[in-house]
Every structure is written in structure tokens, then in C-alpha cells.
Amino acid sequence: MMHHRKRFLMAPFCVAFLTVSCVFGWDATADTANPPSLAVAATAFVTQLAEGDFEDATKTFDEPMSGALKPAQLKTIWESITQAAGEFERSTAVRHQSVDAYDIVFVTCKFASASLDTKVVFDQRGRITGLVFVPATPPGQYT
């Protein structure tokens, strides 16, 4: 029974991952210091999602991301995640990695029945150029 529950929970995350990452691909490998402004921006973005403010959330997207993910699509993805993982409760941690010209901020989010990392990818201008929802990585197991 638990195995089926995990499979059910993973379905929306896979959809979200495929929706966004089919346009963009990243391999987060190098850990660096957490730039405060990007951590604040990523956390604010997650707050916008949690509050249902998808219009304003997409205003921080770069041009390719804006073309790939419209507010209505972002709303559908967020709703599928909250349907599977439960109501968003809070952000619990933030960590940062740099890969080539991108800064990736992971905002760990606690939902009613699961924890997820919201992977927000920023370009050199500080615009969001990628978004992926993945199962949360326990502290000390970051890659």
C-alpha cells in the first residue's frame, strides 16, 4: 500500500519536472555560498505560489521560461503538487548551487504529507530560467 502511495505522490512531480525541464536541462554539481538576494527571491517565489499569485510569480521569468510556462500552467502544476502532497505549510531550508552560468536555489518546502525541494534556477541577470519540484534531500545528503 505504501509503495502505491509513493508512486501516486511522485506522479505530479514528474509531470512538473517534465513540463519545465524538457525545455531546460541542468546538472547541479558545485556547491557554493548562498547569495542572500537569490535565496530571498526564491523564497518569495515559493510564497507567491503558495498564495496563488501565479501572475506575479511568472513576472520574474526570463523570456524562454515565460514562453514555456504560462501562469495558468504554473497554477495547474502547483495544484497537482498540493493535491498529492497536501497543503503547503512552510519553507524549512534554502541552499544554493552554481552550475556554469546558472545559480540554483533549492527551497525545501513542508507540505501536509511530504517535503519537496523547489529547485529555482536563475540566469546571470537574476531572472528565473528553470523550475523543478523534486523530493526533498535530507540535510547532509546534498549532491
Side-chain angles (χ1 to χ4, degrees), residues 38-130:
L38 293 181
V40 169
T43 303
F45 176 74
V46 168
T47 299
Q48 288 173 318
L49 297 180
E51 293 175 349
D53 191 2
F54 305 104
E55 281 291 330
D56 282 344
T58 58
K59 288 179 181 176
T60 58
F61 289 177
D62 70 357
E63 189 175 320
M65 186 72 171
S66 291
L69 190 60
K70 303 293 183 198
Q73 294 168 306
L74 183 57
K75 178 182 180 191
T76 299
I77 290 168
W78 184 256
E79 287 174 348
S80 70
I81 288 169
T82 57
Q83 183 177 27
E87 185 176 337
F88 174 82
E89 295 178 357
R90 67 188 178 282
S91 298
T92 61
V94 178
R95 68 184 192 282
H96 173 265
Q97 294 177 326
S98 290
V99 177
D100 300 324
Y102 300 100
D103 286 292
I104 304 166
V105 179
F106 296 84
V107 181
T108 303
C109 301
K110 172 75 174 97
F111 291 84
S113 61
S115 289
L116 298 174
D117 281 338
T118 303
K119 181 178 175 181
V120 185
V121 182
F122 293 91
D123 65 13
Q124 292 177 332
R125 297 178 334 180
R127 306 289 290 173
I128 295 175
T129 190

Side-chain angles (χ1 to χ4, degrees), residues 18-57:
L18 291 173
T19 300
V20 179
S21 68
C22 67
V23 178
F24 311 96
W26 304 278
D27 178 24
T29 56
D31 233 354
T32 61
N34 186 358
S37 63
L38 293 181
V40 169
T43 303
F45 176 74
V46 168
T47 299
Q48 288 173 318
L49 297 180
E51 293 175 349
D53 191 2
F54 305 104
E55 281 291 330
D56 282 344

